[in-house]
Every structure is written in C-alpha cells, then in structure tokens.
C-alpha cells in the first residue's frame, strides 16, 4: 500500500496571485471563472505533464488527455489523485463537481461522468489553469 504524502500548501495574497496569473488566470483560478471554449487548448501533443499554473503541481499526464470536442482540455484521470481535489458546485442553477489543485486551491474546472474508458470520467479543465512540461529523458 502506497504511503500518502503530506501536501505542502501554497498561499499568496490576491495581489501576488494576480501578478503571477494575469487577468484571465486570476479570474479562473482564484475567482472560479471559466474561460471561453476553444480559447486555450493549443498544448503540444508530445509526451509530458500538465502542471498547475498556480504552483506547478503535476496534475495531469499527456497520456490521459483526449479530445472531448468541448473546447477545453480534457483528461480521463489525474496524474496524482491526492493533488486534484473535488467539491460540490451549485452555481449556475445546477449541481456539478468542481475540481481544484489541492496545493494552491486554484480552481481548475469540473469533472463529469461522460468520459472514455478506463475511468468513464471527463476532467474538463480550463487551459489557463495549466502549463505543459514536455517529458525529458
């Protein structure tokens, strides 16, 4: 059985987050906004890891990325489930499952039960909340 590691939290002031993330990144990650569809899915298709734009936590692997046709980067599983947290989101007059980075509490997007095998999940993530790091040998 794998040991659970303690996650070192990242905390910053609103001014520090705004300076680091820019206007859209701040709106999405700190204020739970959403970027428009098809505005930020231009990541390379090569092997690599998608890290949190707020704290560089490794959130998703390129091997789990798929084209959902929704206009947002989509993955069927997180790289490390300890780093991607979930909570109920009742905004917009509906019940959804919001996902966030457990290290910096940055809003990432939502998870839906309509993804491909093997999990059947679709982590629908705002591209501005991610940075791509190519795999190095």
């Amino acid at each position: 059985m794998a040991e659970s590691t303690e996650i070192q939290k990242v905390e910053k002031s609103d001014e520090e987050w705004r300076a680091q993330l820019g206007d859209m990144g701040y709106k999405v990650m700190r204020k739970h906004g959403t970027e428009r569809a098809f505005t930020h899915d231009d990541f390379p298709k090569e092997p690599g890891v998608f890290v949190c734009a707020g704290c560089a936590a490794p959130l998703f692997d390129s091997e789990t990325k798929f084209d959902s046709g929704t206009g947002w980067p989509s993955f069927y599983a997180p790289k490390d489930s300890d780093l991607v947290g979930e909570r109920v989101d009742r905004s917009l007059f509906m019940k959804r499952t919001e996902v966030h980075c457990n290290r910096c509490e940055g809003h990432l997007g939502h998870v839906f039960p309509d993804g491909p095998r093997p999990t059947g999940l679709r982590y629908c993530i705002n591209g501005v909340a991610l940075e791509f790091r190519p795999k190095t040998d």
Side-chain angles (χ1 to χ4, degrees):
M1 183 172 180
E3 281 186 37
S4 179
T5 57
E6 186 174 328
I7 297 172
Q8 186 174 358
K9 297 289 186 178
V10 173
E11 295 181 19
K12 298 180 182 186
S13 69
D14 273 354
E15 293 78 24
E16 290 171 312
W17 283 123
R18 191 181 300 273
Q20 177 185 334
L21 299 171
D23 290 340
M24 181 54 74
Y26 179 81
K27 176 184 173 187
V28 168
M29 295 191 74
R30 307 315 302 173
K31 298 299 180 185
H32 300 263
T34 301
E35 65 189 357
R36 282 182 320 167
F38 300 102
T39 60
H40 204 109
D41 191 17
D42 55 351
F43 294 108
K45 306 300 183 218
E46 65 191 85
V49 175
F50 294 86
V51 302
C52 176
C55 68
L59 301 176
F60 298 95
D61 193 287
S62 62
E63 292 179 11
T64 64
K65 189 173 186 305
F66 68 98
D67 183 0
S68 65
T70 62
W72 289 279
S74 297
F75 304 85
Y76 62 78
K79 182 169 178 57
D80 181 342
S81 59
D82 287 340
L83 290 174
V84 178
E86 298 180 3
R87 66 179 142 240
V88 174
D89 174 1
R90 295 185 185 276
S91 65
L92 303 178
F93 306 105
M94 64 181 97
K95 182 180 175 185
R96 300 179 293 173
T97 302
E98 183 252 351
V99 291
H100 59 272
C101 174
N102 273 337
R103 218 169 135 211
C104 70
E105 294 296 320
H107 171 74
L108 302 172
H110 293 85
V111 62
F112 302 96
D114 61 0
R117 290 181 180 203
T119 65
L121 298 174
R122 174 174 53 97
Y123 287 82
C124 188
I125 307 300
N126 288 283
V128 73
L130 301 173
E131 293 177 4
F132 181 76
R133 304 274 167 86
K135 181 179 178 183
T136 57
D137 293 326

